[in-house]
Amino acid sequence: ETGVTQTPRHLVMGMTNKKSLKCEQHLGHNAMYWYKQSAKKPLELMFVYNFKEQTENNSVPSRFSPECPNSSHLFLHLHTLQPEDSALYLCASSPSRGGSQPQHFGDGTRLSIL
Amino acid sequence: EDKVVQSPLSLVVHEGDTVTLNCSYEVTNFRSLLWYKQEKKAPTFLFMLTSSGIEKKSGRLSSILDKKELFSILNITATQTGDSAVYLCAGVNAGGTSYGKLTFGQGTILTVHP
């Protein structure tokens, strides 16, 4: 139990569907992150939120839309995805954005695009 | 652009062996280096290294950072089958628009046979 909970654990969707991934952290952290982990590639940072404000969008296509209603919750809204978007999507949180303390990860959502 | 390279990419050993995993980095405004262990789920935090030459230990695992040569090693002694996992290292950028950003290496897949 890492204190970061992601749902769903697995998601299969067609390219025309709209779905959302959810992340909740119970650690009292102020920074939250979305990462993409594809086979044989390093973890890629997608978005960073600090105190609910987006501070980084790492050139992510607009078919991925993040939302952070409060410091404990983070969503990733998905629409018209492509097969190459199939991957493990990991959420993480940390006390602050600056990197002085480690990020804590959730178990991820395994996404498959048909 | 920040870059982290891990070697070897995969390693197969027998229980009781000692292994050394390598991580080299090129990170502007370098702040720290992190090691994570990833089994089938969330990457779990192992070590955060900020200063050169100071070994961090946790049981059979230890790690050290060399900021002059820009690398870190993770040692595991008396390996057990439960050590089988992907080991990730990440460099933390402490400056500018990349403040707090983690850049991950590809990971080392460690397999420990009984």
Side-chain angles (χ1 to χ4, degrees), chain B residues 13-58:
Chain B
V13 300
H14 287 93
E15 275 192 318
D17 289 349
T18 292
V19 298
T20 298
L21 309 183
N22 304 293
C23 176
S24 64
Y25 64 90
E26 296 174 24
V27 175
T28 56
N29 303 304
F30 175 79
R31 176 176 215 141
S32 56
L33 189 129
L34 302 172
W35 283 97
Y36 286 88
K37 176 184 181 182
Q38 186 177 23
E39 296 172 87
K40 295 198 183 292
K41 303 178 187 177
T44 53
F45 170 72
L46 295 175
F47 298 111
M48 172 179 266
L49 302 155
T50 306
S51 302
S52 271
I54 299 175
E55 185 183 49
K56 294 220 172 178
K57 285 181 70 79
S58 177

Side-chain angles (χ1 to χ4, degrees), chain A residues 19-80:
Chain A
K19 296 285 184 183
S20 296
L21 310 185
K22 180 183 176 182
C23 176
E24 182 175 1
Q25 56 95 1
H26 310 277
L27 301 169
H29 291 169
N30 296 307
M32 296 187 77
Y33 312 81
W34 280 117
Y35 287 88
K36 176 183 180 182
Q37 189 173 35
S38 305
K40 300 185 180 178
K41 290 179 69 176
L43 269 160
E44 301 172 60
L45 180 65
M46 300 175 72
F47 301 104
V48 180
Y49 278 82
N50 194 42
F51 291 96
K52 303 189 301 179
E53 299 297 321
Q54 186 179 130
T55 58
E56 183 147 355
N57 175 339
N58 206 28
S59 302
V60 180
S62 60
R63 58 185 184 269
F64 294 91
S65 174
E67 179 190 1
C68 188
N70 54 61
S71 292
S72 299
H73 294 85
L74 186 63
F75 296 90
L76 188 63
H77 303 301
L78 316 170
H79 63 98
T80 57

Side-chain angles (χ1 to χ4, degrees), chain B residues 67-82:
Chain B
K67 292 170 73 171
K68 182 180 176 185
E69 301 297 329
L70 307 183
F71 78 90
S72 175
I73 60 172
L74 175 68
N75 280 318
I76 308 175
T77 59
T79 51
Q80 302 171 358
T81 55

